[in-house]
Amino acid sequence: RRRGAALAAGPPTLAGPTCTYTNVPVEGTPPGISIHNISTQVRACVAAHFAGRRSNQRDGVVHVLSRHTTTALTINEDESRLREDIIAFLERLAPSDLPYRHNDLHLRPASDEDRAAIDRNWMSRGKGTLEDFMAQEPRNAHSHLLAMTLGQTQSIPVVGGELALGQWQSVLMIELDGPRDRTVGVQVMDEQ
């Protein structure tokens, strides 16, 4: 027998990785910091990903991404008084009334790179002039700092088509600069 024949024998190979991506809206957040349980929407993305499958394979991973620089994602208990504690803690961690350099709007853009970013993300998309951008720009350095501290992604195992979360765990999007309409990206991946 040839060596290659032994390597070719064995169990069938998997079809390969599959993934689906969905933008989940979180609309009309209130002013300031607020917490939004998006577990139901994430579960719906997982269910849609595995719907219509012939195989019983329902294991994978779901990646959740905050698509904004002033929102964050976490996994924790969703309880009313804990929400109040989280908001109070975050307000103490990065008070909005401190003198942050990002909030010195009269000194921005401060570099050619800053101006290029505004051009790329605002003016070249037909949203208006540099003056229009600066007029709508909020004083929100504290929100950026909190988002960096908390993190903007979560990866959750999927086992048997279900999120492998603990009994009291929920997927929470934390709005740090409301009021706004937000979007959370949800990507479900598995191997068929």
Side-chain angles (χ1 to χ4, degrees), residues 14-30:
L14 297 174
T18 62
C19 69
T20 53
Y21 182 86
T22 307
N23 283 317
V24 173
V26 180
E27 297 176 339
T29 66

Side-chain angles (χ1 to χ4, degrees), residues 11 15 20 36 64 71 73 79 106 122 130 155 163 177 181 183:
T20 53
H36 306 269
V64 188
T71 61
L73 293 166
E79 187 270 329
H106 64 286
W122 181 266
L130 175 62
S155 293
L163 299 179
D177 193 31
D181 290 335
T183 306

